[in-house]
Amino acid sequence: MVARSVTATAMLLVGMWLMPAEGRSAERVVTLAPHLAELVCAVGGCARLVGVAEYTRVPPEAASKPKIGSAFSVSFESVLSLRPDWVLAWDGGTPIATIARLRELGLPVDTLAVRRLDDIGGALEQVGAGLGMENEAAAAAAIYRARLAALRAQYRGRSRIRAFFQIETAPAYTVSRLSPIHEAMDLCGADNVFADLPMLSGAVSAESVIAVRPRVVVTTSDESPAALDAYWARFPGLPASRYRVVVSADTLTRQSPAVLDGIADLCAGLDRVRKQMAADGH
């Protein structure tokens, strides 16, 4: 791990290297979360990325860039060594202390917030403005909004199904209505059984899972199938022990246009579950 403080020499050098991105287009961009790199690439700015967070896996052009630490533990020395003229931080994810420290070092840092699916179009436009790629961003945002509207129209009116979005098993975690994942589930006709959690995400006990009686489990591809099987083997009386929808972790959980691929897969998966339940007489 990098030391908590950066040397005075490094601070002097950063003052020589960098200027605020205001009034000009950023040419050297560092992103502090995977979805931020995806947003940059979605407007055509992949070539301007000089550093990305760990677990940035798509697109390949972004995945190959130098890593600056994780979304929650940034290496200040790594960021400084890349001489960025724009750092994009995750509003709600990047620690506030990290943002403050980067700004103390003279780095131009902007935060990007995505609370709802509709926010992604605006996020694309904000990124485009910082890169001087407004036209490309406007086109990307228009495509995103049109496809989101089409998905909403396609799956409107589906029969509702009680669903549990599950992360891990020991303990299990889930998300509330504050997460874009909740909104994706709702679009597909799934009622999030833990929508009323007081925080965006949190651990849920086995007893609470039994109490809310989900009919289907929604999870992502980075979860262990064996661990999920063992978890649900304890609740053979719950329909959710038999019905599961798995969506790519690089789509449904992303606050970028990739989320639309995840939503399409989720909706199709839930339709398959509805048909299977009907065949099973449930």
Side-chain angles (χ1 to χ4, degrees), residues 34-44 58-59 112 114 116-125 127 136-148 151 250-265:
H35 72 279
L36 298 173
E38 293 174 23
L39 289 167
V40 170
C41 291
V43 303
V58 291
L112 206 60
V114 175
R116 300 180 58 82
L117 295 175
D118 286 325
D119 293 342
I120 293 174
L124 289 166
E125 291 165 341
V127 169
E136 295 89 338
I143 291 170
Y144 172 82
R145 289 169 177 142
R147 189 177 174 203
L148 177 58
L151 285 167
D250 289 330
T251 57
L252 186 64
T253 61
R254 288 292 197 257
Q255 298 170 1
S256 74
V259 73
L260 297 180
D261 294 328
I263 293 172
D265 288 345

Side-chain angles (χ1 to χ4, degrees), residues 6 8 13 34 60-61 70 99-100 102 111 115 151 169 173 189 198 218 221 256 279:
V6 179
L13 287 173
E61 302 95 309
S70 74
I99 296 171
L102 290 169
T111 60
R115 303 284 186 261
L151 285 167
T169 58
Y173 288 79
V218 176
S221 56
S256 74

Side-chain angles (χ1 to χ4, degrees), residues 1-3 5-7 10 74-82 105:
M1 296 295 294
V2 174
S5 63
V6 179
T7 65
V74 173
S75 165
F76 299 120
E77 288 182 0
S78 294
V79 175
L80 288 172
S81 72
L82 297 170
L105 295 171

Side-chain angles (χ1 to χ4, degrees), residues 132-220:
M133 304 178 74
E134 291 88 350
N135 292 340
E136 295 89 338
I143 291 170
Y144 172 82
R145 289 169 177 142
R147 189 177 174 203
L148 177 58
L151 285 167
R152 284 171 169 159
Q154 180 179 354
Y155 290 98
R156 187 175 295 122
R158 286 292 195 274
S159 60
R160 308 298 297 184
I161 184 170
R162 293 175 60 76
F164 170 36
F165 182 77
Q166 184 172 1
I167 308 164
E168 301 183 1
T169 58
Y173 288 79
T174 192
V175 298
S176 73
R177 68 176 73 253
L178 300 175
S179 168
I181 295 171
H182 166 91
E183 192 178 357
M185 293 168 65
D186 181 65
L187 184 156
C188 296
D191 293 325
N192 178 6
V193 293
F194 287 106
D196 293 331
L197 281 180
M199 71 290 286
L200 187 145
S201 64
V204 291
S205 66
E207 292 76 14
S208 64
V209 172
I210 294 170
V212 296
R213 297 193 64 81
R215 300 190 69 200
V216 61
V217 175
V218 176
T219 189
T220 61

Side-chain angles (χ1 to χ4, degrees), residues 81-132:
S81 72
L82 297 170
R83 300 186 295 175
D85 56 8
W86 197 25
V87 178
L88 274 175
W90 174 15
D91 187 329
T94 305
I96 294 174
T98 296
I99 296 171
R101 182 59 176 152
L102 290 169
R103 286 174 173 161
E104 285 175 3
L105 295 171
L107 296 174
V109 182
D110 279 334
T111 60
L112 206 60
V114 175
R115 303 284 186 261
R116 300 180 58 82
L117 295 175
D118 286 325
D119 293 342
I120 293 174
L124 289 166
E125 291 165 341
Q126 183 178 340
V127 169
L131 296 173

Side-chain angles (χ1 to χ4, degrees), residues 28-39:
R28 299 181 59 82
V29 182
V30 166
T31 51
L32 304 186
H35 72 279
L36 298 173
E38 293 174 23
L39 289 167

